[in-house]
Amino acid sequence: MKANNTVIKVCMGTGGIAAGGSEVIDAFRTELNTAGIAATVEKNCLMHKVGCRGLCAKDVLVDVIINKEKTTYQYIKPEMVSRIVKEHIIENNPVIDWAVGDDYHNFHKKQLKVVLSDCGSIDPEDIDAYINGKGYEAARKVLTTLKPEEAIEEIKASGLRGRGGAGFPTGVKWEVARKQNSKQKYIICNADEGDPGAFMDRSVIEGNPHAVIEGMIIGAYAIGSDKGYVYIRAEYPLAVERLRKALSDAKTKGFLGKDILGTKFSFDIKVKLGAGAFVCGEETALIASIEGQRGMPRAKPPFPVYSGLWGQPTVINNVETFANVPYIIRNGAKWFSSFGTEKSKGTKVFALTGKIKNSGLIEVPMGIPLREIIYDIGGGIEGGKLLKAVQTGGPSGGCIPADMLDTPVDFESLAKAGSIVGSGGMVVLDEDNCMVNMAQYFLQFTQMESCGKCVPCRIGTKRLLEILDRITKGKGKEGDIELLEKLSADIKAASLCGLGQTAPNPILSTIKYFRNEYEAHLKGKCPAAVCKELLTYYILEEFCKGCGACLRACPSKAITGEKKKLHKIDPAVCIKCGACFDVCKFKAVKKE
Amino acid sequence: MIKLTINGKTIEVAEGTTVLDAAKMLNIEIPTLCHHPKLTPFGGCRLCIVEVKGVPRPLTSCTTPVSEGMEVTTSTPALEGLRKTVLELILSDHPNDCMVCEKAGDCTLQELAYFYGIRENRFGGERRIYGKKDGNPFIERDMEKCILCGRCVKVCDEVQGVGAIDFAYRGFKSKICPTFEKDLDCEFCGQCVAVCPTGALTGKMWQLRGRQKDIKEIDTTCSYCGTGCNLTLHVRQNEVVRVTSKEDTWNEGWLCVKGRFGYSFINSPDRLKKPLIKRNGKFEEASWNEALDYISAKLREIKEKHGPDSIAGLSSARCTNEENYLFQKFMRTGIGTNNVDHCARL
Ligand SMILES: Cc1cc2nc3c(=O)[nH]c(=O)nc-3n(C[C@H](O)[C@H](O)[C@H](O)COP(=O)(O)O)c2cc1C
Ligand code: SF4
Ligand code: SF4
């Protein structure tokens, strides 16, 4: 074995750790020890943790690289490590049957990684790993060779737009802040990420925190700020830990603090933990929260760039927005704007989930057709089911029906289709998903997370939810769909902040594309057989073998029948739990 | 100065003026619930929304500062439709028991429901229920009637500097409450009661003593201290049933616990209404003349026997400046001593 050319990378994102990443690392240590090559391990064989590379379902993912030949292993458990060490590392014979397959490679093929380019390959806790890959070169270039205005020009020319939801041009925001005549300005990184199912920003901070810090340094220099905050939710302990370590390392290396890189520019970043309220991701609520008040939005104008934290000009950008900045400076605005569409430049990170084969974290060029994401990257729908729709933008977004799958994924096209890019949630829905139920799910979330300040959002979303509740329970009334539409329109028009203004979107877009499902519910049927109150379970005579499995599984003793004879469900006793449906091997139980 | 038009009328106002205030100057009425002229704008009730030319969505006039050339419209079918929705939503989460509510006849919500003719409500559903009553001695907190306008929170923080209450919880469950939802335990100045636009906050002593109808309002000055806040006594059948203060007074309508709630002495049977003179170890009622003669005779006697400096006078912070001035004058020239002092020096 030539250990000096060996690198072992173990995925230690939250997904990797949950699947047992730490134990796998320990197992490698022990096995290398036992194999008697421990002494050389630390010196010549580099083993380190890496952040998430997207396909968490296959964790623990391990790369073994010998003389630049990389083999990636999937589903690695500690007990599998000894074989890898023996056969691959010692005998140089990769354990092919544990290596990832085509789906892993296809998952990455159509992706384009800018923000995530270092995630999953460098050790996020090692600042030198970032620096060795040209990290902090962009900050050095900006601070030592560019005027603030020139840095802003570069970002403007790149066409970078905010990745936090609204897609506001980042360079323009910085320019306005630059022009404010104020002694104190602030720059804030929004890492609140409260949408259900979204984990893009967490993965970026866990996988490459220095890119975010470097982006903030460049932003601060551009607008003329010496104080920054990262507002991050406390439910992200690993991200917080890595961010704190990265900040302290950056300070030790002189990238933060007084007179950075020998210039007259000083800048420091504080971490502020959020208590986990979705609304605190809204910029004015976020500012209130940093100031120690209840996180409630306030009316704009004035916008934070004019009057933000403590009344001073403040730039707030999303994690992914900042993480793009060093790569833009390093490779040039032209390079960045060569990706994407005319108005949506660069790439976007999405959290691809739902009824899809390869769920995970992906980064794609703006404008990629939705179809390519679903079928080429995502590997298509699970279990050979029919795709129904793709929900984008989380609770503020809407859905794109299956027949619009050629919609390009960019700010303009998704908005035109009645949805949004949003922060990057992407949930794939198949024929087994009920659209009314889906709208109800998101409304439950927004209602619970409404800050309570304004009437249309606080009470209006509650009423929307109640109407949806009764529709899914078969108690809907004629006119309910129209009432939903009217109230939704009023809430959108009259609410104070983006939360209320977008909360009805899941309802409006499902009514737009799936009105028939709403109508079916009013007639007492849930076409996808999801809404419990509208279901009846019964047993098909031609399939029932009389095995009694359902009878034993039923918790409410609703099933009767003798052995080897047809079984029956008493609808009056049935509580519609679905236990019989799940347990029947002969598909004799039906629900509709 | 900034020039703008509201409903086609042009006006020039100082920079920083809100659209709502500019409209007021033009005598244009815009409905509000959460707005209070003495508190920072909130923008929560959404009733004061207006259309501004070139802005795609309605803006709350209470939070929007005027800008040059702005063209504002305060009433359109769309705006009135939104206002009606907002009111119906509020009322869908309100007890609507105006029949027995303390605040009926003096309630902004009731007034708006009247003007918008809200008889039918398109929205029904769950209503917030509060089982627990606040056990404090002064302020009745009927939070089912609270519309979360935030005025009480602001007055407590911005005017009184106490911060006894705040918003808690989220969504439909949001509420205003003291820390950990304990009973209110504060200065009981009652400013929150004064600014509450609904029947959510009222005085405990006011309950069932008479609403605004048939009340005679009598303006007077508080006798508790030399500050001399302006009071308005609400009198029904010759009995003071409530004390408030008007916004256009020098104390701007703000009062303390004594001025607002300390009026039960007026009708107390223990209250001294006539002078008493102690004779043979027992207090006996006397006329004012009799009492004054008695005092002056006694003072003269002491002064003649022991000299004026054997007498000292102590006056009170409850007196006005003028009364205190007269008192020292009396001590110096009437009695002839400089032995005069004031309780507020202690
Ligand atoms: C209810 C609500 C929640 C939001 N949550 C987030 C969030 O978690 N992260 C984020 O970056 N932006 C969030 N935003 C958007 C921010 O208000 C703001 O526009 C954004 O941080 C600006 O950064 P960008 O220009 O880089 O996108 C939210 C907005 C609303 C209305
Ligand atoms: S829209 Fe909802 S979250 Fe936003 S201020 Fe109003 S109540 Fe709060
Ligand atoms: S108690 Fe009254 S003043 Fe306070 S928020 Fe409720 S309605 Fe407004």
Coordinates of all heavy atoms in Angstrom, one line a residue, chain A residues 488-515:
Chain A
S488 N -58.7 34.4 -0.3 CA -57.3 34.3 -0.6 C -56.8 35.6 -1.3 O -55.8 36.2 -0.9 CB -57.0 33.2 -1.6 OG -57.2 31.9 -1.0
A489 N -57.6 36.1 -2.2 CA -57.3 37.3 -2.9 C -57.2 38.5 -1.9 O -56.2 39.3 -2.0 CB -58.3 37.6 -4.0
D490 N -58.1 38.6 -1.0 CA -58.1 39.7 0.0 C -56.9 39.6 0.9 O -56.3 40.6 1.3 CB -59.4 39.7 0.8 CG -60.6 40.2 -0.1 OD1 -60.4 40.6 -1.2 OD2 -61.7 40.2 0.4
I491 N -56.6 38.4 1.4 CA -55.5 38.2 2.3 C -54.2 38.6 1.6 O -53.3 39.3 2.1 CB -55.4 36.7 2.7 CG1 -56.6 36.4 3.6 CG2 -54.0 36.5 3.5 CD1 -56.6 34.9 4.0
K492 N -54.1 38.2 0.3 CA -52.9 38.6 -0.5 C -52.7 40.1 -0.6 O -51.7 40.7 -0.5 CB -52.9 38.0 -1.9 CG -52.4 36.5 -1.9 CD -52.7 35.9 -3.3 CE -51.7 36.4 -4.3 NZ -50.5 35.7 -4.3
A493 N -53.9 40.8 -0.8 CA -53.8 42.2 -1.0 C -53.6 43.0 0.2 O -53.0 44.1 0.3 CB -55.1 42.7 -1.7
A494 N -54.2 42.5 1.3 CA -54.2 43.3 2.5 C -53.2 43.0 3.6 O -53.1 43.7 4.6 CB -55.7 43.3 3.1
S495 N -52.5 41.9 3.5 CA -51.5 41.5 4.5 C -50.3 42.4 4.6 O -49.9 43.0 3.5 CB -51.1 40.1 4.4 OG -52.2 39.2 4.7
L496 N -49.7 42.5 5.7 CA -48.6 43.4 5.9 C -47.3 42.9 5.3 O -46.6 43.6 4.6 CB -48.3 43.6 7.4 CG -47.4 44.7 7.8 CD1 -47.7 45.2 9.2 CD2 -45.9 44.3 7.8
C497 N -47.0 41.6 5.5 CA -45.7 41.1 5.1 C -45.8 40.0 4.1 O -46.9 39.5 3.8 CB -44.8 40.7 6.2 SG -45.0 39.0 6.8
G498 N -44.7 39.5 3.6 CA -44.6 38.5 2.6 C -45.3 37.2 3.1 O -45.8 36.4 2.2
L499 N -45.3 36.9 4.4 CA -45.9 35.7 4.8 C -47.4 35.7 4.5 O -47.9 34.7 3.8 CB -45.7 35.5 6.3 CG -46.0 34.1 6.9 CD1 -45.2 33.9 8.2 CD2 -47.4 33.9 7.2
G500 N -48.1 36.7 4.9 CA -49.5 36.8 4.6 C -49.8 36.9 3.1 O -50.8 36.4 2.6
Q501 N -49.0 37.8 2.5 CA -49.2 38.1 1.1 C -49.0 36.8 0.2 O -49.6 36.8 -0.9 CB -48.2 39.1 0.6 CG -48.6 40.5 1.2 CD -47.4 41.5 1.1 OE1 -46.4 41.2 0.5 NE2 -47.5 42.6 1.7
T502 N -48.3 35.8 0.7 CA -48.1 34.6 -0.2 C -48.8 33.4 0.4 O -48.9 32.4 -0.3 CB -46.6 34.3 -0.3 OG1 -46.0 34.1 1.0 CG2 -45.9 35.4 -1.0
A503 N -49.3 33.5 1.7 CA -49.8 32.3 2.3 C -50.9 31.6 1.5 O -51.0 30.4 1.5 CB -50.3 32.6 3.7
P504 N -51.8 32.4 0.8 CA -52.9 31.7 0.0 C -52.4 31.0 -1.3 O -53.2 30.3 -1.9 CB -53.9 32.8 -0.3 CG -53.5 33.9 0.6 CD -52.0 33.8 0.8
N505 N -51.1 31.2 -1.7 CA -50.7 30.7 -3.0 C -50.9 29.2 -3.1 O -51.3 28.8 -4.2 CB -49.2 31.0 -3.2 CG -49.0 32.5 -3.5 OD1 -50.0 33.2 -3.7 ND2 -47.8 33.0 -3.7
P506 N -50.6 28.4 -2.2 CA -50.8 26.9 -2.4 C -52.3 26.7 -2.7 O -52.6 25.7 -3.5 CB -50.4 26.3 -1.0 CG -49.4 27.3 -0.4 CD -49.9 28.6 -0.9
I507 N -53.2 27.4 -2.1 CA -54.6 27.2 -2.4 C -54.9 27.7 -3.8 O -55.5 26.9 -4.6 CB -55.5 28.0 -1.4 CG1 -55.2 27.5 0.0 CG2 -57.0 27.8 -1.8 CD1 -56.1 28.1 1.1
L508 N -54.5 28.9 -4.1 CA -54.9 29.4 -5.4 C -54.3 28.6 -6.5 O -55.0 28.4 -7.5 CB -54.4 30.9 -5.5 CG -55.2 31.9 -4.6 CD1 -54.6 33.3 -4.7 CD2 -56.7 31.9 -5.1
S509 N -53.1 28.1 -6.4 CA -52.5 27.4 -7.5 C -53.1 26.0 -7.6 O -53.3 25.5 -8.7 CB -51.0 27.4 -7.5 OG -50.5 26.3 -6.8
T510 N -53.5 25.4 -6.5 CA -54.1 24.1 -6.6 C -55.6 24.2 -7.2 O -56.0 23.4 -7.9 CB -54.2 23.3 -5.3 OG1 -54.6 24.2 -4.3 CG2 -52.8 22.7 -4.9
I511 N -56.2 25.3 -6.8 CA -57.6 25.5 -7.4 C -57.4 25.8 -8.9 O -58.2 25.3 -9.7 CB -58.3 26.7 -6.7 CG1 -58.6 26.4 -5.3 CG2 -59.6 27.0 -7.5 CD1 -59.5 27.4 -4.6
K512 N -56.4 26.5 -9.3 CA -56.2 26.8 -10.7 C -56.0 25.6 -11.5 O -56.6 25.4 -12.6 CB -55.0 27.7 -10.8 CG -54.6 28.2 -12.2 CD -53.5 29.2 -12.2 CE -53.0 29.5 -13.6 NZ -51.8 30.3 -13.6
Y513 N -55.2 24.7 -11.0 CA -54.8 23.5 -11.8 C -55.6 22.2 -11.5 O -55.7 21.3 -12.2 CB -53.3 23.2 -11.8 CG -52.5 24.3 -12.4 CD1 -51.6 25.0 -11.6 CD2 -52.6 24.6 -13.7 CE1 -50.8 26.0 -12.2 CE2 -51.8 25.6 -14.3 CZ -50.9 26.3 -13.5 OH -50.1 27.2 -14.1
F514 N -56.2 22.2 -10.3 CA -56.8 21.0 -9.8 C -58.2 21.2 -9.2 O -58.6 20.6 -8.3 CB -56.0 20.2 -8.8 CG -54.6 19.8 -9.4 CD1 -53.5 20.6 -9.2 CD2 -54.5 18.6 -10.2 CE1 -52.3 20.2 -9.8 CE2 -53.3 18.3 -10.7 CZ -52.2 19.1 -10.5
R515 N -58.9 22.2 -9.9 CA -60.2 22.5 -9.4 C -61.1 21.3 -9.3 O -61.9 21.2 -8.3 CB -60.9 23.6 -10.3 CG -62.0 24.3 -9.6 CD -62.7 25.3 -10.6 NE -63.7 26.0 -9.9 CZ -63.5 27.3 -9.4 NH1 -62.4 27.9 -9.6 NH2 -64.5 27.9 -8.7

